[in-house]
Structure formats: C-alpha cells, structure tokens
Amino acid sequence: MAASEQSANKQFGGWNRRYTHDSQVLGCSMTFTVYFPPAAEEGSVPVLYFLSGLTCDDQNFITKAGAQRKASELGIALVSPDTSPRADVPGENDKMEVGSAAGFYLNATEGKWKKNYQMYDYIVKELPSVLKGLKGLQIEKASIMGHSMGGHGALIIGLRNPDKYAAISAFAPISNPSTTPMGSTALAAYLGDDKSAWKQYDATEVAKSYHGPSKKILIDQGTSDNFWKENLKPENFKEAAPKELSVELRHQDGYNHSYFFISTFVEDHVAFHAAQLQ
C-alpha cells in the first residue's frame, strides 16, 4: 500500500505532493494529494481531510480553493483524496450521481458496485494507513471537511467515527440524501431499494441517533446555490442535531455552489479546524 510520489509543487513555503498507490479496498490504483506546510519539515503536523464533490478528483480543492495559505500559517496538512474508485466498472460514466467521481463515500452492497465502490472504508481505514508511511504527518490528530457530496461524506464519516476527527465542517453539503432526487438516485444504486439501509449514510438520520462526545460542526451554504433547496437541505441536519452537536449553519448571501464560494470562506474553515485540533 506504499504511496509513490508523482509530482510536487511548492506553495506558501510548503509542498503540494501528489501520490498514487494500489488500493486493496477499492481494487484499483488511487490518487491523492497532500499539502505539507513548512512545519512538516521540522516535525509531524495534524491532518485535515477535504472530501470533494461530484465530478471532482483530488486536484479540484488543491488547485482552486486556496486553502494552503492558511494551512501553511497554522501548520496543518491538507489531504485531498479522489472521489471514487477508477476501476473501469461498466457504465460508471453513465450518470453524474452514480459511478466515476461519484462514490458518495459509502460502502456499496449492490450488483456491479459492491466489489470496488467501498469509499467509506477507503477514507476511514485504508487512506490513513497509507498516510502513515509519509513523513511529517500526525495521522492520529485529524479533522474532516468537504463540499457537496464531499460535505455529505464529511458529516457521515465524522459523526460515525467521532473519536477519529476533532471537528467537522462542510460547504453546501448533501445533508439529507434519502429525501432528495440526487441522493436517492445514488443510494438506490449503491445500496438497493431498502430505504432502512440508507439511513447509515444520511447525515440527518445519523444525527438523530448520535450519542457520542460533543462535536463542533461548521456549515456554509450559499443562498444562490441552485442545488440548495431540492438536493442539499442543511437546515434538516441542523434541526435534527442533538445537544451533543454544536452546529453553526451560516447562510452566505449571493454565493453559489462553486469554488468561488469555497475559496471565499475556506480560511475560516481551516482556522476552525485548527482551533479544535489544538
């Protein structure tokens, strides 16, 4: 599972390093990128995972969000994995919501998807093990955030593994997928028609039964986001959250679903996680 470095680009005194490795969990070669702040050259630094959304790969966040400036300042490594296996499953490019670049950060149980589409286990178990082989990362000290489908992933992974992640944040997350057209399409394809099986990957449903340690959650939602009302529903998540979850939901006037939105507020998120990690 050792990672092989493919490229390196210096930024704000640190390095964006892109790696490939053979994934046993996903049954294919996978790519991820890590931004190492300057502090990683002197010792081990905490890790902040960013899970990207539909149609993205490991590079979108790294090249568009501009998070490296704050990560460099605060001494945090940014880890950006890919959004799905790249296993050449037949038909994986037929729908935006299912297949390539649409792994939904779950473990598929249905048909052609179940062999390779195990993104939940990849993010929670295998990727951290691979990262342990890289110098300068304090894997045991981690936090998680994401955008859209990746915001969904950050919420469910963070809530289901509260001892692994110091805090959770999201930009325009798919927060209640079992009640939305986009989310239902993905969940039905990967998990089948039994909607009770969907609940473990629906952040609003997971929040309803959460009884773990207190956790801070920051969510930003743009008010000009075309996906907001029908497919995201972060308000449902906030309403369902129990007292153990301190959810700050900020509605950002005029912002849409793009990286223009993410780049405007990403430094807030990096600082939010740094405070919890420290």
Side-chain angles (χ1 to χ4, degrees), residues 245-256:
L245 301 176
S246 176
V247 179
E248 182 180 4
L249 172 58
R250 308 191 303 188
H251 292 95
Q252 305 293 2
D253 187 45
Y255 287 90
N256 60 20

Side-chain angles (χ1 to χ4, degrees), residues 14-267:
W15 290 89
N16 297 290
R17 300 187 184 276
R18 198 178 193 200
Y19 300 90
T20 60
H21 75 104
D22 292 326
S23 170
Q24 297 178 8
V25 169
L26 304 180
C28 63
S29 177
M30 289 296 287
T31 303
F32 65 91
T33 300
V34 180
Y35 175 70
F36 294 85
E41 297 182 7
E42 302 172 2
S44 296
V45 299
V47 168
L48 174 55
Y49 294 90
F50 184 90
L51 307 184
S52 291
L54 291 166
T55 76
C56 295
D57 60 19
D58 65 296
Q59 287 289 279
N60 296 76
F61 174 73
I62 293 296
T63 61
K64 294 180 179 180
Q68 291 92 333
R69 184 193 301 273
K70 200 68 173 178
S72 173
E73 174 190 329
L74 297 177
I76 293 178
L78 304 173
V79 176
S80 178
D82 205 347
T83 53
S84 78
R86 307 289 172 163
D88 296 323
V89 176
E92 68 178 359
N93 297 311
D94 291 351
K95 290 184 178 181
M96 184 180 76
E97 305 94 337
V98 183
S100 183
F104 260 83
Y105 305 101
L106 50 71
N107 289 336
T109 59
E110 290 294 304
K112 64 185 179 182
W113 307 112
K114 64 183 179 182
K115 177 181 178 182
N116 303 104
Y117 278 68
Q118 305 292 310
M119 284 297 292
Y120 181 91
D121 279 353
Y122 177 71
I123 298 297
V124 175
K125 299 177 182 179
E126 187 174 37
L127 183 56
S129 296
V130 175
L131 293 173
K132 284 183 179 179
L134 304 180
K135 184 180 179 181
L137 302 180
Q138 191 176 356
I139 304 303
E140 296 76 16
K141 208 171 183 181
S143 208
I144 192 164
M145 64 177 176
H147 170 229
S148 194
M149 177 188 73
H152 143 81
L155 290 172
I156 60 168
I157 288 173
L159 292 181
R160 290 178 56 181
N161 302 274
D163 294 332
K164 287 182 178 288
Y165 307 98
I168 306 165
S169 77
F171 297 90
I174 301 176
S175 305
N176 199 181
S178 62
T179 68
T180 69
M182 187 176 290
S184 294
T185 297
L187 294 176
Y190 291 132
L191 304 174
D193 295 330
D194 181 4
K195 293 186 178 181
S196 64
W198 299 6
K199 291 184 177 181
Q200 63 183 314
Y201 298 113
D202 185 316
T204 297
E205 295 298 327
V206 174
K208 289 177 182 178
S209 58
Y210 182 84
H211 296 294
S214 297
K215 191 73 58 180
K216 289 190 176 182
I217 301 174
L218 173 63
I219 298 175
D220 275 319
Q221 174 62 58
T223 61
S224 293
D225 187 330
N226 291 333
F227 296 104
W228 174 25
K229 297 294 186 179
E230 186 175 29
N231 281 299
L232 305 180
K233 301 186 177 182
E235 296 79 13
N236 290 9
F237 175 78
K238 180 175 174 60
E239 184 177 349
K243 62 181 180 180
E244 292 92 344
L245 301 176
S246 176
V247 179
E248 182 180 4
L249 172 58
R250 308 191 303 188
H251 292 95
Q252 305 293 2
D253 187 45
Y255 287 90
N256 60 20
H257 201 69
S258 72
Y259 270 85
F260 295 111
F261 162 55
I262 294 172
S263 64
T264 302
F265 301 102
V266 73
E267 291 196 355

